[in-house]
Amino acid sequence: MASTLTTPPVCRRMRHRRPHRSPVPLLAPLVIWAGAAGVLALWWSDTGSVIGPAGWLTGAGRITGLLAGYACAVLLALMARIPTLDNTIGTDRLARWHALGGRCTISLVLAHTLLIIWGYSLTSHTSVVSQTSTLVLHYPDLLKATAAFLLFLATGILSARAARRRMSYETWHYLHFATYLAVFLAFGHQLSNGADFVGNRPVQIAWYTLFLGVAALLVWYRFAVPVRRGLRHRMRVSVVRPEAPGVVSVHLTGEHLDELGGEPGQFLRWRFMTRGLWWAANPYSLSAPAHPRHLRITVKTAGGHSAALAHLTPGTRVWAEGPYGAFTANRRTTPKVLLLAGGVGITPLRTLFETLPGQVTLVYRARRPDDLALRGEIGAIAAHRQATVHYLVDEPAGRPSPLTAHGLSALVPDLVSHDVYVCGPPGMTQTARSALREAGVPARRIHHESFSF
């Protein structure tokens, strides 16, 4: 069933300005691949003739080892929460790059280990088992590298989709800290055993610079900045209000909150300093434009962490990391915008609905009418902007889904000329994106940011 609030056309529109396009999303992949090319050039310059199976296997082991070491630095940098990357490329895209790079890194580590053992065993005319024992027990730093290898494999297994479904976000997140230890344990082995590093001081300095630089970024953005901001902004919970069944808004007060620079559509990672919550920093979007003295998030009480937010007491200290994400007005390319929300996905879109310039239409879908959170605010914004809102609910059951190419085209005239921001549950967003593409909306105008892990 579709319930529609329609108001007259916009008679006084906000001025449309073409957003500034950052070159970072294009430059970042080029820089990463240029670094990989540099690693291959290092191997090439240090390699003479390759003779026989042993030479080929050992050479392949060196290549995969160098690339695996470089990939570790890249993976850590992608997840260092560097604002320039998060706010231009997008946190979700960085996470996808990290996940793809992680699978490649685990494969490179595994290939490096097997190829080196096999190549060395052929060279020394010993069995693979004997050669493994010799390498681990008698080569410098190989025992630590073996521990790192096992940690990498364990992380890869736990990151598999089937394993992720069985654990909470918090558990999965903290298990990933084992990769820091793995990189630390493996680093010494690269310099003490790598043929491309031994006796090559400039390359050693370059490798130290790469890893120490990434370590500095991690320490600064993931630890120092959150602590500094926690002390600076002194945020506390002021009140928790129910918005819909299973949905609450957490209102926060603090000092100098305008310095956070949060844009509509962005999210922060929130750490509530109370029992059972202080050790986890979870991502929640701002559900109202940022104010110098107060902020608000709106959360569906689904998981253990989010459910506990409904029971926060006023005065609870809060630390926030961010803002993060590129789900902002900067993605817009046309004056016409469609905001397509599902369930609690309304939270970032509610702020965009209030602040985006141009002609904006909101389509908000929920299971039942009572599940339409923030409906009063949305109606007031629509009246003030003289914009159009379509409320879509699934009850009664059996009605055709409006999230089809035909259904969306009927709701939004001239759909193909709109930018579309989509936020909601994974199934809903995938269905909506497929319907929009079928309706003729170019992929570059469909904007989506996922917060799933």
Side-chain angles (χ1 to χ4, degrees):
M1 180 176 71
S3 174
T4 305
L5 170 64
T6 305
T7 57
V10 177
C11 58
R12 187 181 64 183
R13 298 178 182 173
M14 303 178 193
R15 182 176 297 177
H16 171 70
R17 295 179 180 176
R18 190 174 184 85
H20 171 69
R21 292 291 173 182
S22 170
V24 174
L26 295 176
L27 290 177
L30 294 178
V31 171
I32 293 172
W33 285 111
V39 169
L40 292 176
L42 170 64
W43 171 85
W44 181 266
S45 65
D46 287 341
T47 301
S49 59
V50 179
I51 302 173
W56 284 104
L57 290 170
T58 304
R62 285 174 53 205
I63 293 174
T64 51
L66 285 169
L67 289 174
Y70 171 71
C72 286
V74 171
L75 292 181
L76 294 178
L78 290 176
M79 290 292 101
R81 298 176 186 169
I82 303 168
T84 301
L85 298 181
D86 277 89
N87 298 337
T88 55
I89 297 173
T91 305
D92 61 332
R93 189 188 297 182
L94 289 174
R96 289 195 295 271
W97 289 3
H98 177 82
L100 175 60
R103 290 190 289 270
C104 293
T105 302
I106 297 298
S107 300
L108 288 169
V109 168
L110 183 60
H112 165 68
T113 304
L114 297 178
L115 288 168
I116 286 293
I117 292 173
W118 192 4
Y120 278 30
S121 68
L122 290 180
T123 300
S124 59
H125 305 287
T126 59
S127 68
V128 169
V129 174
S130 175
Q131 186 61 53
T132 301
S133 176
T134 301
L135 287 171
V136 172
L137 298 178
H138 300 290
Y139 276 61
D141 295 313
L142 252 297
L143 196 58
K144 291 190 293 184
T146 302
F149 171 73
L150 296 175
L151 285 173
F152 278 125
L153 285 185
T155 303
I157 292 170
L158 292 172
S159 297
R161 192 178 300 274
R164 292 205 311 267
R165 293 196 188 105
R166 299 176 182 272
M167 67 181 74
S168 67
Y169 169 84
E170 294 80 15
T171 301
W172 173 84
H173 175 74
Y174 279 96
L175 285 173
H176 263 57
F177 280 121
T179 57
Y180 294 156
L181 177 59
V183 173
F184 175 76
L185 292 173
F187 183 76
H189 141 70
Q190 299 174 63
L191 296 176
S192 60
N193 295 292
D196 301 283
F197 296 100
V198 175
N200 193 336
R201 181 60 64 182
V203 173
Q204 292 178 4
I205 292 173
W207 210 246
Y208 267 111
T209 302
L210 172 64
F211 277 86
L212 290 176
V214 171
L217 291 172
L218 286 166
V219 170
W220 179 251
Y221 287 113
R222 299 203 64 166
F223 299 99
V225 169
V227 171
R228 181 174 61 88
R229 286 183 171 175
L231 298 174
R232 168 71 171 165
H233 299 301
R234 301 181 180 276
M235 274 192 284
R236 294 183 182 273
V237 174
S238 60
V239 67
V240 178
R241 291 199 177 104
E243 301 287 359
V247 178
V248 298
S249 284
V250 180
H251 296 253
L252 307 115
T253 59
E255 300 176 6
H256 315 291
L257 299 183
D258 52 320
E259 295 177 5
L260 288 172
E263 296 184 43
Q266 289 190 306
F267 69 94
L268 293 93
R269 297 181 186 275
W270 304 90
R271 190 183 302 273
F272 297 90
M273 309 304 287
T274 187
R275 184 177 180 181
L277 296 178
W278 65 268
W279 57 279
N282 281 29
Y284 300 114
S285 297
L286 295 172
S287 61
H291 185 274
R293 292 289 300 172
H294 57 80
L295 301 173
R296 187 185 73 179
I297 58 174
T298 301
V299 180
K300 183 176 179 62
T301 57
H305 187 279
S306 57
L309 301 189
H311 306 290
L312 287 171
T313 57
T316 300
R317 288 291 300 269
V318 183
W319 287 12
E321 303 173 34
Y324 300 119
F327 195 61
T328 65
N330 286 328
R331 287 191 173 183
R332 175 179 49 86
T333 61
T334 68
K336 297 180 180 179
V337 176
L338 167 63
L339 306 176
L340 187 52
V344 78
I346 188 62
T347 53
L349 296 186
R350 178 255 181 255
T351 59
L352 289 170
F353 187 47
E354 181 177 348
T355 58
L356 273 176
Q359 179 181 325
V360 182
T361 301
L362 173 64
V363 175
Y364 183 8
R365 186 182 186 186
R367 186 170 300 175
R368 300 168 301 177
D370 289 345
D371 293 331
L372 294 167
L374 308 175
R375 185 170 182 175
E377 295 180 17
I378 292 168
I381 294 169
H384 176 73
R385 293 194 57 146
Q386 297 186 342
T388 300
V389 181
H390 300 281
Y391 296 104
L392 309 176
V393 294
D394 294 338
E395 293 182 351
R399 292 182 179 272
S401 170
L403 297 183
T404 62
H406 175 75
L408 291 174
S409 297
L411 283 175
V412 185
D414 197 20
L415 176 62
V416 295
S417 65
H418 284 65
D419 274 280
V420 185
Y421 290 72
V422 185
C423 190
M428 172 262 176
T429 55
Q430 185 58 45
T431 299
R433 292 168 70 187
S434 299
L436 291 166
R437 293 292 293 119
E438 184 180 347
V441 180
R444 68 181 183 279
R445 291 185 183 170
I446 303 174
H447 314 300
H448 168 248
E449 194 162 68
S450 172
F451 302 102
S452 60
F453 69 95

